[in-house]
Amino acid sequence: MGNKIRNSFVKQQITNALLQLLEKRELTEIAIHEITTTAEVSRNSFYRNYTDKEDILHQYLKSMLSNWKEEWDSQNSDSNAELFGDLFAELKSRAPLFLLLEKRNLFYLFRESYLELNAPPKDTDNMVAYTMSFVAGGVLGWIEEWIARGMQESAEFMSSLLSTHGMK
């Protein structure tokens, strides 16, 4: 197994172990030793990849969102309705993860990852940057409220709501 594949496997094991432990307890109650033991990896493997327990989730969420965005961008669609529909579908497909983050008061890690991914480039015109930030923040508010309410509505319904209320 090559280093890249091995490192990816280790990170996946650590992430899965943390998520498994989070099902039972708060993040503050979980020791790094428990994560590495559950993941069957060394403590060095943990610190080679992460700074702390939150970093596991932050990297995982950022990677998940980046992969989704890459796939979306490759479709070259300019339709916000399709974009939001696809985003809500992605989130809905991972409902247990997001409901767990909400339950454990860790949703802020998704918020950080989402806003990092949707931040306007530094060389963007001010008005365009403000607009991009406004839209990203607004959509994030919808996502956050939807998850806080248990993700009851379908992804299609959420996309339809956004489209109906000016996000076409």
Side-chain angles (χ1 to χ4, degrees):
M1 191 181 317
N3 282 344
K4 189 173 181 175
I5 294 170
R6 185 177 15 253
N7 199 48
S8 178
F9 175 77
V10 166
K11 289 176 86 168
Q12 183 178 355
Q13 289 295 103
I14 290 172
T15 301
N16 291 343
L18 178 58
L19 291 173
Q20 178 184 341
L21 292 166
L22 274 174
E23 300 253 345
K24 300 172 190 141
R25 298 195 321 274
E26 298 291 331
L27 185 64
T28 56
E29 299 169 2
I30 299 170
I32 290 171
H33 170 73
E34 289 177 276
I35 297 168
T36 57
T37 300
T38 303
E40 298 180 351
V41 300
S42 71
R43 195 171 175 88
N44 285 341
S45 293
F46 177 88
Y47 284 110
R48 186 175 25 255
N49 292 290
Y50 304 106
T51 56
D52 56 29
K53 297 177 286 188
E54 289 179 345
D55 193 30
I56 299 168
L57 295 169
H58 182 77
Q59 284 189 39
Y60 177 71
L61 293 166
K62 192 172 178 179
S63 174
M64 179 199 70
L65 285 169
S66 293
N67 291 340
W68 168 80
K69 189 168 185 336
E70 249 178 57
E71 188 176 315
W72 172 258
D73 288 346
S74 72
Q75 296 174 12
N76 293 324
S77 176
D78 289 334
S79 165
N80 281 336
E82 288 178 27
L83 170 75
F84 297 134
D86 200 63
L87 175 58
F88 278 99
E90 176 70 16
L91 299 176
K92 186 75 166 187
S93 75
R94 298 170 186 265
L97 167 67
F98 291 106
L99 295 172
L100 179 61
L101 292 176
E102 177 67 22
K103 175 182 175 183
R104 297 294 183 214
N105 296 312
L106 297 169
F107 189 78
Y108 67 92
L109 295 167
F110 173 81
R111 185 182 311 115
E112 289 172 6
S113 300
Y114 176 85
L115 292 174
E116 281 176 32
L117 184 67
N118 289 290
K122 296 290 181 205
D123 61 346
T124 303
D125 173 73
N126 285 358
M127 194 59 206
V128 172
Y130 301 147
T131 303
M132 287 175 69
S133 294
F134 176 78
V135 171
V139 171
L140 178 61
W142 281 65
I143 291 169
E144 195 161 4
E145 192 62 33
W146 180 54
I147 291 171
R149 293 173 181 261
M151 301 174 88
Q152 298 171 40
E153 295 84 5
S154 70
E156 295 80 15
F157 183 76
M158 293 303 292
S159 176
S160 166
L161 281 177
L162 274 170
S163 294
T164 305
H165 291 87
M167 300 295 285
K168 296 180 183 173

